[in-house]
Amino acid sequence: MSALLEIKQLHAGIPDKPILNGLSLSINPGEVHAIMGPNGSGKSTLSYVLSGKSGYEINGGSMLFDGQELAEMTPEARAIAGLFLAFQYPLEIPGVTNMTFLKTSLNAIRRGRGEDEMDAASFLRLARAKSKALGMDDDMLRRQLNVGFSGGEKKRNEILQMAMLEPKLAILDETDSGLDIDALKTVAEGVNALRSPERGMLVITHYQRLLDFIKPDVVHVMAKGQIVKSGGPELALELEKSGYAEYSGGTEAPAGGREAHA
Amino acid sequence: MRNIVAAPRPPLGDAKPMLDAQTHFEQIRDRLPGDLQARAAHLAAAEAVGLPTRRVESWHYTDLARLLKSGQATPVQAVDFSSVDAVLAHFEDGVLQAPPQAEGLEIAPFAGAISSAEAPSSAYVMAPAHVMADYNQALAQNGLLAEISGPLAPPLVVRTSGAENVHLAHHIHLAAGAKAVLVDDHMATGYANVVWDITLGEGAELTVLRSQQAGHQVGLSRVSLAAGARYKSVAMVSGGALARHEAHVTLKAAQAHAELHSAVLGHGLSKASTHADFTYTIEHQAADTSSNTSAYNVLDGHARGVFQGKIIVRPDAQRVDAQMQTRAMMLSEGAEMDAKPELEIYADDVVCAHGSAIGELDRDALFFLRSRGLDEATARHLLVAAFLEQVTSHIDETGLSEIMRGLVDTKINALLGNPSI
Ligand SMILES: Nc1ncnc2c1ncn2[C@@H]1O[C@H](COP(=O)(O)OP(=O)(O)OP(=O)(O)O)[C@@H](O)[C@H]1O
Ligand SMILES: [Mg+2]
């Protein structure tokens, strides 16, 4: 079986500041991987570099997605290929409704895959069904994209996008931060609904609790831009108790010791 | 939206007839209706002052004499209003093609611009004295004198087209309780000095949608609102070497409410660039009046956006609520935005706020959209459209808002497809 995502010795950063220092990680189809690690260890940077945000330099290594080198693809080509990032800090875009945005996105991806665009009625049905499953009312589809959404609503909206786009690999960057316990369950259900033998997930989190709902196959500890330890779900429980001190050379903040923010 | 593409007009050249108003007057005097002597007096008064220079405070950012010499041929597209069953008053080179007809609308024959002294109702605000209004009164060859007595069902489209220099003096009066939507569709490629004197009776409601696509326009709107009257102007400048839209709005009695929103999609290099200037004076003369102003500018190439908004709250005008917002999205290094909000508040119990933000296209938003599969061009288009939507969203009439959105879309395509047009 060939890996869905194969990152080898990835070195990346912003000019004059290396952030990822030889990171390697491999996710097979059907697997859920969790990354935990102290603030500033480079988790979001990894998610941005994988999805193609500008401003980062790649100084070495490779990242193959379905056998294709991501570094050579535009962000939209990566999305069309099936990569999805649920943002740690979702943006507000006034002037465009959630519905219009979702439709534009879905159809851009369908076009990119050589599929027909979805007609308005089917789209509406799908969007309503998916948002209902995530406990979002229709009003949130009509509202401007994330404008005035609460922190938790923004996170749900990211998961709605994921549910609509059905990616092959979803990277969730602290999707659980800012969610109340009920929302956490709903969002986890949304994520679990997408689990399949073909799909993979990379779940970035500070809280072991999320992993009670989204059971990972592998848990990684990231520190200073590298994966420093990998193990099973029990690793997350260990981290919850002992923090990252042993990995980050004395950083005192324990996992989950940070204020949740959305 | 269907667009009819009009043939590009020849360049304006050096706009001599405007810079030499006296000669222009001699050339057209035989065709001018009304009292020629009064016109000559206005011309003399105007010429004594001359065209405003940058030394005049409200013209500081708009160098009229220089801008009148700039510009180049621009293709303009006639906006198709057929979907909304509009009545049309079409001024082609200053000539009214046919008077508009609708129930509740009365059109009087044009007999020269109306001066303060002969204003049919004291409600007309002719103040402040204004040199461009003097030129207009001297040279106005036409204008729409409209009395709207009740709810006017169809939108009234006033279209200005042609390549000649024109002076138009419009008077729009809404009787108490009347309601109307007026569209100022400016597609003239020449110089146009247009004055709108607008009076709203008690509880009257007027929405004015403006579009300027080309040419050199110096527009002046003088609007007065009686108790409970509502005035809303939503303007879109998508081209033209000069788009000066000046408004003096006077809220005379309680519950009067005025809204002025403008969108600019400026582009072009050096002499072919857009210069869009919205200059407002909003005067709250009475207590319990409110106003809301917003200006959204998207500026590419060497385009320049100017926004000057002065809010005056007179001493007894308590409980006034006045809001003013300026936003600019700069798409190039060579573009320029000048925003000058001013508050003159003489009452103590008022809520007045103004904000101004000038930035570039948001890179993070661009990345977010691309990460959702939109190619870069589509993502940029969507972000520019979303920005301007904050103006078009003020149009409540569904049919007209679709038309205006269609126009915005076409213009964004033209801009982003070829940013240096
Ligand atoms: N564009 C940038 N400019 C400057 N510094 C940056 C930039 N992007 C990332 N960094 C720095 O790189 C380091 C890694 O940041 P990153 O956001 O990837 O951390 P993280 O592991 O996601 O942290 P958190 O748990 O707080 O979300 C931090 O020190 C951060 O300040
Ligand atoms: Mg992060």
Side-chain angles (χ1 to χ4, degrees), chain A residues 39-40 42-45 47-48 88-89 173-174 204 206 258:
Chain A
N39 295 141
K43 302 180 299 296
S44 292
T45 302
S47 71
Y48 287 146
Q88 181 173 2
Y89 304 110
D173 190 358
E174 295 199 31
I204 297 169
H206 287 291
R258 190 183 65 145

Side-chain angles (χ1 to χ4, degrees), chain A:
Chain A
M1 177 170 59
S2 68
L4 183 58
L5 179 68
E6 179 82 63
I7 306 172
K8 276 189 188 151
Q9 285 299 314
L10 183 63
H11 289 264
I14 53 172
D16 301 324
K17 181 176 165 135
I19 302 174
L20 303 179
N21 302 303
L23 183 141
S24 298
L25 176 70
S26 174
I27 301 178
N28 290 316
E31 289 179 356
V32 172
H33 289 227
I35 293 188
M36 306 183 82
N39 295 141
S41 55
K43 302 180 299 296
S44 292
T45 302
L46 173 64
S47 71
Y48 287 146
V49 169
L50 287 173
S51 43
K53 187 172 183 176
S54 62
Y56 293 98
E57 289 174 350
I58 294 172
N59 302 314
S62 67
M63 28 182 197
L64 293 183
F65 177 57
D66 243 359
Q68 277 183 288
E69 175 53 54
L70 287 174
E72 287 160 8
M73 298 160 73
T74 60
E76 55 271 30
R78 301 180 202 204
I80 289 162
L83 190 72
F84 179 91
L85 168 63
F87 284 66
Q88 181 173 2
Y89 304 110
L91 284 166
E92 299 184 5
I93 306 186
V96 52
T97 65
N98 209 3
M99 192 74 106
T100 302
F101 158 69
L102 282 171
K103 191 162 177 232
T104 311
S105 164
L106 182 67
N107 281 333
I109 284 182
R110 288 174 73 109
R111 263 199 319 276
R113 291 179 185 161
E115 298 165 11
D116 284 341
E117 291 190 12
M118 193 178 273
D119 65 79
S122 316
F123 170 79
L124 199 64
R125 258 195 313 276
L126 184 70
R128 286 210 174 119
K130 298 276 189 197
S131 56
K132 196 169 166 216
L134 287 164
M136 299 165 67
D137 57 27
D138 281 3
D139 180 52
M140 283 173 82
L141 291 172
R142 282 189 293 268
R143 277 164 66 181
Q144 304 180 68
L145 182 54
N146 287 337
V147 177
F149 284 29
S150 75
E153 287 168 345
K154 286 180 185 168
K155 294 302 183 83
R156 271 187 218 227
N157 205 29
E158 292 291 292
I159 298 304
L160 173 63
Q161 292 157 41
M162 182 187 77
M164 295 290 292
L165 301 178
E166 302 188 324
K168 258 189 229 163
L169 178 70
I171 305 167
L172 309 182
D173 190 358
E174 295 199 31
T175 300
D176 52 333
S177 301
L179 289 183
D180 65 46
I181 188 73
D182 295 332
L184 187 68
K185 281 183 195 158
T186 321
V187 161
E189 278 164 23
V191 173
N192 288 330
L194 217 62
R195 287 181 81 156
S196 80
E198 303 82 46
R199 294 205 177 95
M201 308 258 175
L202 183 58
V203 180
I204 297 169
T205 182
H206 287 291
Y207 304 101
Q208 193 278 328
R209 193 182 54 191
L210 176 70
L211 306 179
D212 285 340
F213 299 109
I214 304 172
K215 297 265 187 305
D217 299 294
V218 186
V219 174
H220 305 277
V221 180
M222 183 162 171
K224 295 183 180 153
Q226 286 179 319
I227 300 295
V228 293
K229 188 169 184 180
S230 303
E234 72 288 346
L235 182 53
L237 288 163
E238 250 169 62
L239 289 168
E240 186 97 331
K241 285 198 208 86
S242 56
Y244 297 118
E246 102 179 67
Y247 308 105
S248 46
T251 304
E252 68 291 349
R258 190 183 65 145
E259 275 299 292
H261 63 154

Side-chain angles (χ1 to χ4, degrees), chain B residues 272-335:
Chain B
S273 63
T274 316
H275 181 106
D277 170 344
F278 285 85
T279 294
Y280 303 144
T281 303
I282 298 171
E283 187 177 339
H284 293 265
Q285 287 185 349
D288 299 302
T289 53
S290 52
S291 64
N292 182 4
T293 309
S294 70
Y296 283 76
N297 288 250
V298 176
L299 302 170
D300 196 11
H302 293 149
R304 188 161 178 192
V306 177
F307 177 81
Q308 305 181 94
K310 185 191 275 187
I311 296 172
I312 304 171
V313 180
R314 292 293 171 208
D316 293 326
Q318 303 297 356
R319 298 173 303 279
V320 159
D321 184 339
Q323 307 289 332
M324 192 170 268
Q325 274 292 332
T326 324
R327 300 270 315 268
M329 185 189 275
M330 314 301 281
L331 297 182
S332 77
E333 294 260 307

